[in-house]
Amino acid sequence: GMEAALIHAVAVLVIACPCALGLATPAAIMAGTGVAAKHGILIKDAQALELAQRVDTVAFDKTGTLTVGQPRVVGFVAAPGEDESTLLALAASLQSGSEHPLARAVLAAAQGLPLPLAQPLQAVPGRGVQAQVDGRTLLLGSLRWLQAEGLHADAWAAELATFQAQGASVSALAERVSGGLRPLLLLAFGDEPKPGAREALAALRARGLHLVMISGDNRAAAEAMARRLGLRPEDGEVLAEVLPGDKAQAVARLREGGRVVAMVGDGVNDAPALAAADVGLAMGNGTDVAMHAAGITLMRGDVALVGAALDISARTVAKIRQNLFWAFAYNTAGIPLAALGYLSPVIAGGAMALSSVSVMTNALLLKRWKFTDRSVG
């Protein structure tokens, strides 16, 4: 009678309460982001998680991300009839105030040499520096910039080819003269791949991801470094000669093909590129600006953490889906049973609590996640 109907109605209300549905997403996100943080992966928000698990293309900034980021001078060639150490001291004096990694490398190479005074220094972003030393106008910077300013480096053609084939990036010192620029000193800088970077890239490829390295180096040097990292220039895995300001555009172009792009970088000039990607991953040895632009921050400069971040994101989103499915299934199965009187309000209450517990338990299984991607490559 009336009493039974009321009890059935209460049972229906109890079982229909979508408690577990409300827990399904936040429980999984809490567990997933929590275990990721333990591994040194900080995930900004649910949107970063959702995008990271859909990524099919990973773009890397080369310097400091795939390489150690501490270039050294690996060779130099003076113009005929010039004195090497005098020119090296000149180059170092042009770099004396700079914090740029290449500047530090030049200063280290010129250690112990007396440096003449350079003034007024003019930095040309992404290209080099110009200054006056003893009444001479000197330029030190990328070959591309110097050639655009009128440098003819034909005398260095053989040395250039050798340096670039080794994967060294090349700069030059030149003097502005009436007819353009006079070559003085060719400098080659070498960087090393980060330990474990090659294996980490192989593991990402084994997951079916498309890889791209973005570099400001000339093509020969960029491709030589890419090969040391196990990347395949012939498959379009290297974008070379990309100026700092054009990185974001390069990333946007990758996305235009319908790819979901993750961008990994660490420097100040990577921030726009990180923001231009579907999801930006900032290497934690990088700058605050880069971290601010990124959806995910990797607290260590370890390339393997990129695979780990994509993996924990995929697992967390999978858990959310499982949880929503189970929470929904409980309600779908429970409501007709309660309506037909097979469940008393007490049992319905138990079932509802159980569905919440099972959703929580399933989410907390993420806590056991250990990233073991190193075995793949």
Side-chain angles (χ1 to χ4, degrees):
M2 188 66 195
E3 199 177 318
L6 188 63
I7 285 176
H8 291 182
V10 170
V12 169
L13 284 174
V14 168
I15 199 88
C17 170
C19 239
L21 272 175
L23 282 170
T25 305
I29 289 177
M30 289 282 293
T33 53
V35 71
K38 263 209 188 97
H39 283 76
I41 301 160
L42 303 185
I43 300 171
K44 198 185 248 181
D45 50 25
Q47 190 192 0
L49 269 177
E50 164 59 28
L51 284 166
Q53 61 97 31
R54 299 213 322 265
V55 162
D56 56 28
T57 303
V58 187
F60 290 90
D61 175 52
K62 181 191 78 112
T63 307
T65 303
L66 292 177
T67 65
V68 180
Q70 290 169 335
R72 321 182 306 284
V73 174
V74 291
F76 45 84
V77 187
E82 296 279 351
D83 175 54
E84 270 178 3
S85 54
T86 309
L87 292 177
L88 200 54
L90 277 179
S93 68
L94 258 66
Q95 297 288 26
S96 51
S98 175
E99 277 302 299
H100 193 282
L102 292 182
R104 284 208 286 260
V106 174
L107 287 164
Q111 220 173 355
L113 295 173
L115 302 187
L117 188 66
Q119 64 203 60
L121 284 168
Q122 253 174 307
V124 186
R127 308 258 196 307
V129 62
Q130 174 175 322
Q132 304 282 327
V133 180
D134 299 334
R136 305 163 73 185
T137 302
L138 299 177
L139 289 78
L140 174 65
S142 73
L143 265 187
R144 223 175 356 150
W145 172 52
L146 295 173
Q147 280 163 339
E149 294 280 317
L151 176 78
H152 297 292
D154 315 343
W156 285 331
E159 289 95 335
L160 259 176
T162 312
F163 285 144
Q164 289 173 354
Q166 294 165 359
S169 45
V170 184
S171 296
L173 176 70
E175 178 178 3
R176 205 182 277 291
V177 289
S178 52
L181 292 184
R182 189 166 72 89
L184 294 175
L185 183 69
L186 186 69
L187 291 152
F189 300 92
D191 199 354
E192 291 298 310
K194 256 189 198 169
R198 192 188 171 102
E199 295 74 12
L201 291 174
L204 287 170
R205 184 181 280 122
R207 285 168 168 266
L209 292 160
H210 177 68
L211 305 175
V212 181
M213 181 184 92
I214 300 178
S215 171
D217 289 348
N218 70 21
R219 182 150 298 285
E223 290 188 355
M225 179 54 81
R227 289 207 172 85
R228 290 180 68 184
L229 286 157
L231 292 171
R232 303 170 188 152
E234 60 279 5
D235 296 344
E237 293 186 344
V238 179
L239 297 179
E241 298 177 14
V242 180
L243 287 171
D246 299 339
K247 277 187 208 171
Q249 241 175 319
V251 172
R253 269 201 298 281
L254 286 173
R255 286 178 69 187
E256 274 164 22
R259 297 180 179 279
V260 182
V261 180
M263 169 74 193
V264 189
D266 73 331
V268 179
N269 58 17
D270 296 336
L274 293 172
D278 289 285
V279 58
L281 289 90
M283 285 267 181
N285 51 0
T287 63
D288 296 347
V289 185
M291 291 180 200
H292 190 70
I296 297 177
T297 297
L298 309 175
M299 295 306 287
R300 298 191 305 282
D302 181 356
V303 186
L305 283 181
V306 174
L310 299 180
D311 188 63
I312 190 62
S313 299
R315 282 168 198 258
T316 304
V317 172
K319 273 282 182 266
I320 292 173
R321 290 192 183 131
Q322 283 167 21
N323 280 353
L324 289 171
F325 171 80
W326 285 116
F328 197 68
Y330 261 106
N331 287 14
T332 314
I335 289 169
L337 289 175
L340 294 169
Y342 291 113
L343 293 179
S344 74
V346 174
I347 292 174
M352 189 196 76
L354 193 63
S355 74
S356 296
V357 167
S358 68
V359 158
M360 285 302 290
T361 309
N362 189 31
L364 291 172
L365 287 175
L366 281 170
K367 290 266 183 226
R368 304 209 314 236
W369 178 79
K370 283 261 188 297
F371 184 67
T372 52
D373 212 34
R374 287 183 163 73
S375 55
V376 183

